[in-house]
Amino acid sequence: TTPPALLIAGIGTRDERRAGAFQDFVRELGAQHPDLPVAGGLTGPGAPPLSDAVARLVGEGVTRFAVVPLSLVPVEHPRDGVAAALAQEAERHADASFVFGRPLGPDPRLLRVLERRLDEALGGGRRSPSDRSRTTVLLVGDGSPLPEGNAEVHRAARLLWEGRGFAGVETAFASLAAPDVPSGLDRCVRLGAQRIVVLPVFPVRR
């Protein structure tokens, strides 16, 4: 059986740098999997739109799509965003079928990427365990109207803290949820943080 095409669905953004990073990611993914049809698009503002990505693959004969949202956590109500866009594409292309995957979540590989970003923030060269033991991390999510989406950021914070030697990992949100970033920083200070690293975990968003 021919495997379905891989469709990467991102949340729209007016930031050209984020849109460009999304396009670069999709191109690199396609280059790594030359035998698999790969395309990606954004809902809302920004290019390329998700509808163009679907239309291109349909034009190449694709009828089955495995859709992966490029976000760490659920950030939209099911009636909005990616899910709504896919419902429109299913109506537009009656012969196509779409299987919708879950957000990426705090996968161990993503946690390792976050850990590398933390080490970069702490500076290069040799470091002692005390470098981490004196560091509190403020993990900043984009914020979601869905409680389960915000809960995933808290889950990621706990997993990032476990066994990695940091003094603590606290959470904050850029919008739509509490605490906001200033409140998160205040909490870190009240808990006695000696050094704070602010680590964003934003999805591609406007």
Side-chain angles (χ1 to χ4, degrees), residues 109-130:
R109 287 165 292 187
L110 291 174
L111 291 173
R112 288 196 291 270
V113 172
L114 292 176
E115 188 174 12
R116 288 202 300 271
R117 295 291 183 267
L118 285 168
D119 282 337
E120 290 169 2
L122 292 174
R126 296 180 61 86
R127 289 183 298 276
S128 67
S130 64

Side-chain angles (χ1 to χ4, degrees), residues 4 13 28 30 35 42-43 51 61 65 87 91 104 117 129 139 147 158 162 168 172-173 196 198-200 202:
T13 176
E28 178 63 24
D35 298 329
L42 304 175
T43 64
S51 57
F65 293 82
E91 292 181 1
L104 301 176
R117 295 291 183 267
L139 194 66
R158 177 70 187 194
E162 290 279 0
F173 298 93
I196 302 170
V198 178
L199 183 65
F202 293 160

Side-chain angles (χ1 to χ4, degrees), residues 25-192:
F25 173 79
V26 173
R27 280 193 294 268
E28 178 63 24
L29 193 62
Q32 292 183 13
H33 301 277
D35 298 329
L36 179 68
V38 177
L42 304 175
T43 64
L50 190 66
S51 57
D52 285 5
V54 173
R56 178 172 70 80
L57 290 176
V58 168
E60 295 174 359
V62 171
T63 58
R64 298 168 59 227
F65 293 82
V67 186
V68 177
L70 193 61
S71 64
L72 296 179
V73 301
V75 293
E76 301 165 310
H77 192 279
R79 67 172 177 266
D80 301 323
V82 174
L86 289 177
Q88 292 179 353
E89 294 307 310
E91 292 181 1
R92 186 176 291 120
H93 305 284
D95 294 334
S97 63
F98 299 86
V99 177
F100 192 55
R102 293 173 55 83
L104 301 176
D107 183 276
R109 287 165 292 187
L110 291 174
L111 291 173
R112 288 196 291 270
V113 172
L114 292 176
E115 188 174 12
R116 288 202 300 271
R117 295 291 183 267
L118 285 168
D119 282 337
E120 290 169 2
L122 292 174
R126 296 180 61 86
R127 289 183 298 276
S128 67
S130 64
D131 290 329
R132 287 193 174 192
S133 67
R134 294 185 293 106
T135 300
T136 298
V137 181
L138 182 64
L139 194 66
V140 180
D142 209 10
S144 170
L146 302 178
E148 58 268 32
N150 299 323
E152 284 294 287
V153 178
H154 286 280
R155 178 169 173 251
R158 177 70 187 194
L159 292 172
L160 186 64
W161 176 74
E162 290 279 0
R164 288 181 168 83
F166 295 106
V169 180
E170 300 297 320
T171 55
F173 298 93
S175 62
L176 301 177
D180 59 15
V181 175
S183 298
L185 289 170
D186 286 343
R187 174 174 171 79
C188 291
V189 172
R190 290 199 305 271
L191 291 173

